[in-house]
Amino acid sequence: MSRVLVLGAGELGLPILRSLSHLASNSPTASRPAITLLVRPSTLSSPSPSKTQELTHLRDLGVSFLAADIAASDNATELASHFQRFNIIISCTGFAGGPGIQLKLARAVCAAGVAHYYPWQFGVDYDIIGPEAANGIFREQCEVRRLLRGQDKTKWTIVSTGMFTSFLFEAFFGVVEGLETAGSDGEVVVRALGSWGNKVTVTTPEDIGRVVSKLVLEDQRAGVVFTAGDTVSYGRLADLVETQIGKKVRRELWSLDFLRAELETDPENQIKKYRCLFAEGKGVSWDRASTVNEELNIKTTDVQGFLSSKASPRREQ
């Protein structure tokens, strides 16, 4: 029987837990996977109604809890003592824990002798991007890959998903602005990072959850795989936004030179690092036809579908 531990129940962790639970419920009772979520002790004892509701929802899905604090653990050995009772671990911790967390987790997983690890690599193609791109924004991610490839006891699967689809439309990212006020005659701006022909791959967390659960409980392949809800150029993105809102958008090009100059004035700004990285256009997009979701016949949400789900009202002409 598989004993699966999920680290983190945020934007990606929750969809993965839901998908794992759904897929596991179709298994015979005797071989049904056991799904556990690592939770901070303070979360388990929190009086917050929203936290209580979330934990109740997960219990109803058949998820158990392991009380531990990744950030507070002094070293990989301490974490390994928690991890060694599981044969599959999925990290959904993201970057919120700060620098060094992903390496600490990878070392702990290997020290515990976990059979199969799915690290937090749900993003771009770090092999192509490399450790020094955009002021080293993904140096630790590259180090995690080097560590996993340097050992042969723990099987690992890296799921490259591109950008979370919703992130592409966050106003603070700067690619699409004003979409939330498009129905009240507000101006909508779509910006290209680097060039209008540059492409970006995006996948929703819900779709990632379906893919990961299938890989974990059924497919079990190792190595680097790719998902894509969609791969679009910034020019195509502008066209899709115009179609959705029923009016023209203002198109603005942020050249790579402009974005690099912006980063030089604020070199520790993570969002400006991201913009430079995507403007360079390397390792941030791939053909949807070659993805594991296409191979496994898992339907995913494209950009047009995502925009439609936001139900932005069209402007009457």
Side-chain angles (χ1 to χ4, degrees), residues 31-223:
S31 60
R32 187 166 295 168
I35 302 167
T36 303
L37 171 66
L38 187 145
V39 184
R40 291 190 187 97
S42 59
T43 299
L44 285 176
S45 60
S46 173
S48 165
S50 62
K51 286 294 181 185
T52 301
Q53 183 178 14
E54 182 179 300
L55 293 174
T56 299
H57 169 64
L58 291 171
R59 286 192 184 96
D60 290 343
L61 292 176
V63 176
S64 302
F65 303 115
L66 168 65
D69 192 329
I70 292 171
S73 298
D74 292 332
N75 52 54
T77 302
E78 184 178 346
L79 284 175
S81 67
H82 293 296
F83 292 170
Q84 61 188 5
R85 71 190 77 171
F86 301 95
N87 51 25
I88 300 171
I89 293 182
I90 309 166
S91 176
C92 301
T93 55
F95 301 115
I101 290 293
Q102 302 308 322
L103 271 172
K104 182 164 72 170
L105 289 174
R107 292 184 181 117
V109 165
C110 293
V114 174
H116 202 149
Y117 183 43
Y118 295 77
W120 176 264
Q121 297 265 323
F122 302 100
V124 292
D125 189 339
Y126 303 117
D127 287 332
I128 291 178
I129 289 169
E132 303 306 322
N135 289 9
I137 188 172
F138 292 129
R139 186 175 292 118
E140 185 176 348
Q141 296 298 79
C142 293
E143 281 296 300
V144 168
R145 293 192 179 204
R146 184 190 63 78
L147 186 153
L148 293 174
R149 285 169 170 151
Q151 56 82 49
D152 57 7
K153 293 182 179 179
T154 295
K155 186 164 75 170
W156 50 269
T157 303
I158 286 169
V159 185
S160 298
T161 62
M163 186 189 297
F164 287 4
T165 308
S166 59
F167 192 83
L168 188 61
F169 296 92
E170 293 286 359
F172 62 78
F173 189 45
V175 172
V176 180
E177 286 189 9
L179 195 59
E180 64 282 354
T181 59
S184 57
D185 282 335
E187 181 182 53
V188 178
V189 182
V190 176
R191 298 187 179 94
L193 302 181
S195 78
W196 288 104
N198 273 359
K199 293 182 178 181
V200 57
T201 291
V202 295
T203 315
T204 68
E206 292 74 20
D207 290 340
I208 297 169
R210 284 189 283 272
V211 172
V212 169
S213 63
K214 195 84 168 177
L215 290 172
V216 169
L217 298 182
E218 295 182 2
D219 190 86
Q220 299 179 352
R221 74 184 70 184

Side-chain angles (χ1 to χ4, degrees), residues 7-21:
L7 312 177
E11 185 178 8
L12 181 59
L14 278 175
I16 286 179
L17 285 163
R18 292 188 184 112
S19 293
L20 284 170
S21 173

